[in-house]
Amino acid sequence: MKSKIIKILTIYLLSFLSITKLSSQYNHLEFDHYTINDGLSYGYVNTILQDCKGFIWIGTGNGLNCFDGLSFKSYFYNPNDTTSIPYNTVNCITEDTLGNIWVFAGTGLCIYNRKKDCFTRKKLRINGQFIENIHINTCVIDKKGFLWLGTYTGIFRFKLYNNPQISNGIIDAEHYTLDEQGIDKNSQNIVYSMMEDENGTIWAVSNSNKLLFLNTHSHKFLSHEINHPEAS
């Protein structure tokens, strides 16, 4: 419930700020409203990405959609097809500088193959052990070329560029846990959102009432207190 509230408030705030900025430039705004009646696979949208070719990718609670400006094409999990998306619930989509579209669905991840119009699934490995059932909530690509994943079990990252493993099915990654003293252990290491600031610092939002940042000296995510009454 808390994650849904955070997501709703974040979307509301960003939408309000965007509309406020636009309204100062334009007196009249028009919106198109798309639903399942227009070909969208599901009405609950988790994430949206516009890729380098202009296509709009929409991750929903039931399927991945690609919008070309006229119509939607939907992609679903097929248990008999290993080139389908790994799950139907798509939580996060991002695109790297090489034009690869990364799709994070349920507890799986994959890359879209533009030529074949299908997906290549990937598995993460930490210190020789495969990581199963990592629910990915958010993702961000930093300036150094690392892909960061915020999950229900902490933060993972791996190198995107000049990494021969990207073309294979197995990717070695690093795992970070969070400094979250004072909250229940069952609620620790649940990451809802991540970003990189203009200085290259990686920030994370979790269940605690603190922001967390990657300390480059200790190489750990440390707490940053939010001194605001509404954050408690």
Side-chain angles (χ1 to χ4, degrees), residues 21 29 49 82 111 140 161 212 228:
K21 183 178 180 180
L29 295 175
L49 168 78
T82 57
I111 298 179
V140 64
Y161 311 121
L212 297 114
H228 195 285

Side-chain angles (χ1 to χ4, degrees), residues 12-69:
Y12 178 81
L13 178 59
L14 292 176
S15 300
F16 176 79
L17 292 176
S18 299
I19 292 172
T20 302
K21 183 178 180 180
L22 285 171
S23 63
S24 64
Q25 302 175 11
Y26 303 99
N27 294 325
H28 181 66
L29 295 175
E30 293 185 0
F31 295 89
D32 292 321
H33 182 205
Y34 296 100
T35 69
I36 57 175
N37 296 326
D38 302 295
L40 189 66
S41 66
Y42 196 63
Y44 190 98
V45 175
N46 294 319
T47 182
I48 300 176
L49 168 78
Q50 183 175 23
D51 69 18
C52 62
K53 297 183 181 297
F55 293 101
I56 305 295
W57 293 86
I58 304 167
T60 76
N62 185 30
L64 173 68
N65 302 264
C66 181
F67 184 60
D68 62 6

Side-chain angles (χ1 to χ4, degrees), residues 109-150:
L109 61 154
C110 59
I111 298 179
Y112 176 62
N113 187 319
R114 292 183 186 271
K115 292 182 179 180
K116 297 182 179 180
D117 191 28
C118 63
F119 299 86
T120 303
R121 298 179 189 176
K122 306 293 181 180
K123 284 188 175 183
L124 294 185
R125 185 172 58 187
I126 307 293
N127 298 325
Q129 294 186 346
F130 290 108
I131 306 301
E132 304 289 346
N133 299 323
I134 54 168
H135 186 98
I136 301 168
N137 294 318
T138 184
C139 58
V140 64
I141 299 174
D142 69 16
K143 297 181 181 70
K144 296 180 180 179
F146 285 96
L147 177 54
W148 296 82
L149 307 177

